[in-house]
Amino acid sequence: MKWSEFFTSSVGRKFVMGLTGLFLITFLIIHVSINACIFADLPIFNENDNGSVFNRAAHFMGSTILIRIMEVGLFAGIILHIVQGYMLELKNRSARSVGYAVNLGERGSKWYSRSMGLLGTIILLFLVIHISHFWVKARITHALEPVTYNGVEMHNMFEEMKVVFSQPWVVILYVLGCISLAYHLAHGFQSAFRTVGVHNRKYNQLLTSIGYGFSIIVSLVFALMPVAMYLGWVK
């Protein structure tokens, strides 16, 4: 099979989905770590932080040339993951045009593993809104208020988060997006590893358990960010 044929085949598309999925999992680890810096403002740490730790971390990510180059790869990975995902979903739907004689329900597969297209669409809509709230203002329109730490001027992303998450509908939308992400990762995490060949009966249960833990922890921390801002836990 030629390389061009491989990447347009079902196996090739799944392989690309697995690789881009692993890349996006790595991005989520970095992104959630940066976001977690807002909690440095909690009274148990430093209630006078006022977003200093988060703003400096976000500035480092936005001003480092290597990170900016990786940002291009990130967008390419997201687009490729979405396109291949929809191609697989369409192919699977056409293959399932004639239903099974016996509906196995949850015995055959979890509902979220059968709903990756729907969950991915919700996450895509969430991403569009999220990017418009923060990335566009930081990278394109430069509409964020400046703040200075140790003589270095940077975007006051923390203050912008407080403004954005003062609206109940936005908080609800973000939480729904995080719930969709949790279910998407619950299947996608272990599926990505299995697709690229990390598949061993001895370690399958361990990998599945790590995937569930990852999906819950990452999505919970992401969801806590708008909730904490809206409820005034961080100020």
Side-chain angles (χ1 to χ4, degrees):
M1 182 184 290
K2 298 179 181 178
W3 280 106
S4 58
E5 295 174 344
F6 173 76
F7 286 111
T8 55
S9 67
S10 293
V11 174
R13 288 195 179 108
K14 289 180 179 178
F15 185 74
V16 171
M17 284 289 289
L19 281 180
T20 54
L22 291 175
F23 177 65
L24 296 176
I25 285 170
T26 303
F27 161 73
L28 286 175
I29 294 173
I30 297 172
H31 192 31
V32 77
S33 299
I34 298 298
N35 280 8
C37 290
I38 70 167
F39 299 114
D41 189 66
L42 290 172
I44 59 173
F45 298 116
N46 180 9
E47 61 183 349
N48 297 315
D49 176 77
N50 297 322
S52 171
V53 173
F54 172 74
N55 281 334
R56 284 181 288 172
H59 176 73
F60 171 78
M61 295 297 292
S63 60
T64 304
I65 184 63
L66 179 61
I67 301 298
R68 295 300 295 271
I69 293 173
M70 290 177 64
E71 195 174 74
V72 176
L74 170 65
F75 276 103
I78 290 174
I79 293 171
L80 188 57
H81 192 78
I82 292 169
V83 171
Q84 292 289 53
Y86 277 122
M87 293 296 290
L88 280 171
E89 181 69 14
L90 290 173
K91 190 173 182 65
N92 290 338
R93 284 182 179 274
S94 64
R96 294 196 301 263
S97 57
V98 177
Y100 295 111
V102 178
N103 185 4
L104 296 177
E106 291 294 309
R107 289 178 296 165
S109 60
K110 299 294 184 181
W111 72 266
Y112 49 81
S113 68
R114 302 191 303 270
S115 306
M116 293 296 278
L118 173 62
L119 293 171
T121 299
I122 295 173
I123 294 170
L124 173 60
L125 295 174
F126 162 75
L127 277 176
V128 171
I129 294 174
H130 179 58
I131 289 172
S132 68
H133 278 155
F134 299 105
W135 189 85
V136 170
K137 292 181 180 179
R139 298 285 192 274
I140 299 185
T141 62
H142 302 285
L144 301 178
E145 292 294 325
V147 64
T148 302
Y149 301 108
N150 299 323
V152 179
E153 185 177 284
M154 57 192 71
H155 294 307
N156 194 344
M157 192 74 74
F158 185 79
E159 190 63 33
E160 181 64 19
M161 288 172 65
K162 288 166 62 177
V163 172
V164 170
F165 297 134
S166 65
Q167 306 172 75
W169 74 269
V170 174
V171 175
I172 293 172
L173 177 65
Y174 269 67
V175 171
L176 289 176
C178 291
I179 292 172
S180 299
L181 176 64
Y183 281 114
H184 195 77
L185 287 172
H187 173 75
F189 185 94
Q190 54 87 20
S191 179
F193 280 96
R194 293 180 63 178
T195 299
V196 298
V198 183
H199 181 59
N200 184 297
R201 185 172 298 178
K202 182 179 180 181
Y203 301 112
N204 278 350
Q205 188 57 50
L206 175 62
L207 187 61
T208 300
S209 298
I210 293 174
Y212 284 143
F214 180 84
S215 64
I216 293 171
I217 293 172
V218 168
S219 302
L220 181 61
V221 174
F222 275 133
L224 280 174
M225 178 183 66
V227 172
M229 286 284 186
Y230 181 74
L231 296 178
W233 296 347
V234 292
K235 302 177 180 179

